[in-house]
Amino acid sequence: MAADLGDLAAFVAVAEAGGFREAARAGNASASSLSEALRRLEAGFGVRLLNRTTRSVAPTEAGARLLERLKPALGEVAAALDVVNGFRDRPAGSLRLNVPVSAARLVLPKIVPPFLAAYPDIHLDVVAEDGFVDVLAAGCDAGIRYEERLEPDMIAVPIGPRSQRFATAAAPAYLDRRGRPAHPRDLLEHACLRGRFASGASTEWEFERDGETVRIEPGGPLTVRVGTATDLAVEAALAGVGVITLFEDWLRPHLDSGALEPVLEPWWPRFSGPFLYYPGRRYLPAPLRAFVDFIGARRG
């Protein structure tokens, strides 16, 4: 049978999202239109492609085989159609980025406004999360990651500051009450505000000075989800609850105002800044190419 390209794309969207409503929320179609597209496909093939329950949708064996072959084919179709974008005066389309919450807060605010001003026909969709995800499997065109989190077979280009530090700080009132640490291990006797990754692992506090590295896992009254609840830890530090370690740029306004006091500043570790990374394809969609070129021009 000659299947409609839109119906095939609907099948892929529903199968990957695991449901009609989920696929509708992720795209620009309604759940009912996606359901109708699946009905047409299955009627035309004479084969069930998706098993549906009240809670989930999963491909049948036939659907799984079709999905495996269809995803790369639709990707090639999208790339072929996007070639036309190269003949426009201004690139157009959507660009979806997966970034850490820290990058959304500290890196992108200086980049996004001028980029959107330069490319008004591009729609930027930013997904901010701190879990380890496969950017392409998550439906994103590119991501921002730090060097230790870069995936293989991806192109990485610097974006944002090339060097950053983690800062440790506390409210002056807290330090007056509990004392000022002279060595990182002194923090083991302090109330520390910790972070936990989506995986459940707690963050380790690392300090460096004159070639010496010290790693500790302090205790404290508050643990928050890294990224999404970090502002709660900052507010607790400002209120005098305990000591916090975080990106220096995140704490800088409070350090400059005096609301937070630096702790162990000679020990603050420095690390390389983030990278924009994307698949090493010969052809990039026009919105992504525009973003890569824009980042490169700013670096230059």
Side-chain angles (χ1 to χ4, degrees), residues 54-256:
T54 55
R55 294 188 176 182
S56 66
V57 168
T60 63
E61 183 178 355
R65 294 284 185 88
L66 177 62
L67 182 64
E68 181 182 355
R69 300 292 295 272
L70 200 53
K71 282 179 60 179
L74 287 178
E76 287 299 317
V77 169
L81 294 175
D82 191 63
V83 169
V84 179
N85 239 337
F87 293 89
R88 294 172 56 97
D89 292 335
R90 297 182 303 196
S94 295
L95 171 61
R96 197 164 195 239
L97 302 179
N98 183 284
V99 308
V101 173
S102 59
R105 183 184 182 102
L106 304 176
V107 176
L108 290 183
K110 297 178 181 178
I111 296 172
V112 168
F115 174 73
L116 293 179
Y119 298 97
D121 295 328
I122 291 179
H123 173 80
L124 187 60
D125 183 358
V126 177
V127 180
E129 56 185 350
D130 282 283
F132 293 92
V133 300
D134 183 325
V135 168
L136 299 184
C140 296
D141 301 295
I144 293 178
R145 291 291 185 274
Y146 285 86
E147 192 167 8
E148 68 274 13
R149 297 188 182 186
L150 295 182
E151 298 174 9
D153 302 321
M154 303 287 275
I155 295 175
V157 296
I159 184 173
R162 297 322 315 136
S163 179
Q164 294 179 277
R165 290 196 301 177
F166 277 117
T168 303
Y174 169 87
L175 296 172
D176 290 342
R177 185 171 72 251
R178 295 289 299 270
R180 287 164 172 79
H183 189 276
R185 293 191 182 90
D186 294 342
L187 292 172
L188 296 173
E189 305 300 322
H190 280 262
C192 294
L193 309 175
R194 303 287 306 282
R196 179 179 288 121
F197 294 111
S199 64
S202 296
T203 58
E204 187 179 55
W205 288 19
E206 182 176 301
F207 300 88
E208 297 175 356
R209 184 178 186 182
D210 299 331
E212 180 185 3
T213 300
V214 177
R215 296 180 178 89
I216 63 171
E217 292 191 13
L222 177 65
T223 300
V224 302
R225 171 77 173 269
V226 170
T228 54
T230 297
D231 279 331
L232 174 60
V234 174
E235 292 300 322
L238 292 169
V241 174
V243 182
I244 189 171
T245 285
L246 191 59
F247 289 91
E248 180 183 2
D249 292 343
W250 202 318
L251 296 181
R252 178 50 56 191
H254 306 301
L255 294 169
D256 290 344

Side-chain angles (χ1 to χ4, degrees), residues 94-95 97 122 141-142 276 278-279 284-293:
S94 295
L95 171 61
L97 302 179
I122 291 179
D141 301 295
L276 173 74
Y278 53 92
L284 292 181
L288 177 55
R289 170 52 61 193
F291 192 69
V292 170
D293 291 345

